[in-house]
Amino acid sequence: VQLQASGGGSVQAGDSLRLSCAASQRMLSRYSMGWFRQAPGKEREFVARISWATSRTDYADSVHGRFTISRDNARNMVYLQMNSLKPDDTAVYYCASGSWGDFADGRMDYWGKGTLVTVSS
């Protein structure tokens, strides 16, 4: 399975962006998909995840209430709607897939190439 992330860009604080992740093939129902990010000089961190089968979602505390993850099973797509962006959200965002529990330690089965989000104050 190949994952392709897109939608990054440069915005001002308070703006919105929507990231997209396209999977090259239909995901098995046992998989979840989600997003990690890595800011300059920092470790990669979990952002959000969604269950492919149930649409159950989970978010990092730092983005809860501002970001929304969703999926389109028919198109094998996952989206991350990011609102009220802050400079601290500046990072390379990575799409990933694996089991629900894999997101806890980042040991994902599949990774996409990152897309850069830059938020200026």
Side-chain angles (χ1 to χ4, degrees):
V1 176
Q2 293 183 333
L3 304 177
Q4 180 66 52
S6 61
S10 296
V11 297
Q12 297 287 322
D15 286 350
S16 299
L17 274 178
R18 188 177 82 155
L19 304 184
S20 299
C21 177
S24 61
Q25 64 189 61
R26 192 173 191 84
M27 302 302 297
L28 296 175
S29 60
R30 66 182 177 87
Y31 275 97
S32 296
M33 291 186 70
W35 298 87
F36 291 81
R37 68 186 182 185
Q38 187 167 19
K42 295 186 177 180
E43 294 186 354
R44 184 178 61 202
E45 63 175 359
F46 164 76
V47 176
R49 57 182 170 174
I50 185 167
S51 166
W52 202 252
T54 68
S55 290
R56 174 189 179 191
T57 59
D58 182 42
Y59 299 91
D61 289 344
S62 58
V63 306
H64 197 277
R66 299 188 298 121
F67 290 11
T68 302
I69 189 170
S70 61
R71 62 166 173 70
D72 183 337
N73 286 24
R75 297 186 176 186
N76 299 331
M77 297 286 294
V78 172
Y79 305 99
L80 185 69
Q81 178 66 42
M82 305 186 295
N83 298 330
S84 302
L85 283 162
K86 305 174 181 179
D88 285 348
D89 295 319
T90 295
V92 177
Y93 284 71
Y94 297 91
C95 177
S97 181
S99 67
W100 184 260
D102 287 344
F103 284 85
D105 56 18
R107 295 183 180 183
M108 310 306 298
D109 290 340
Y110 304 104
W111 289 95
K113 293 182 179 180
T115 185
L116 177 63
V117 173
T118 303
V119 184
S120 56
S121 57

